[in-house]
Amino acid sequence: GHVGPRFRVALGGISKRPQRFYTMTGRTLVFVRSIQAVDWKEAFMATRSKSKKTDNEKRLRIIPLGGLGEVGKNMTVFEYGDDIIAVDMGSIFPREDMPGVDLVIPDTTYLTKNASRIRAYVITHGHEDHIGASPYILRNLPAPVYGTRLTLALVEHKLKEHRVNGIQLNVIQPGDSVKISDSFEVEF
């Protein structure tokens, strides 16, 4: 069966049954929909296009900030129009060739440059490789966090431990969905 939340990326309307594919974590199911009824392969390839986009043209961008080609440090950004959601905020322990480093977290430079567009963080589950960087990221880039009860209890503990306050934690029940913005709806 399916483990973790499923994400619906609502790209302006539903014109046909969405195609399904997995994000880089391999646990999160993403549904892509669009007005033009392009399939997910076309939508993904459009993000890779070298052509300049016009002002009226919106594209789904999937940007892995970590967890791709490595175990841990999972974080994937979904961007559409003016909306950004990030899936997971993981960490990894340093390698032997990193003396003096306690923890390795994703490079959030892209999110820092686009901080006003971050609508939410969605956490798939409570393992360190998915929540370990949460206090460091949320301290500098606060936004609402969505996840299941156990997952958010673990995130809440980390935030308290690091004295990070004022973060909105939204518990979602399995099977429920929440509309994060006009572009993104998340189903757990």
Side-chain angles (χ1 to χ4, degrees), residues 52-70:
K52 294 188 180 243
K53 64 181 184 179
T54 64
D55 291 339
N56 296 331
E57 191 176 8
K58 292 183 181 179
R59 293 186 176 156
L60 174 65
R61 297 183 71 200
I62 302 170
I63 306 164
L65 300 182
L68 188 62
E70 61 190 335

Side-chain angles (χ1 to χ4, degrees), residues 133-144:
S134 58
Y136 308 102
I137 293 171
L138 291 170
R139 178 184 319 272
N140 298 318
L141 298 165

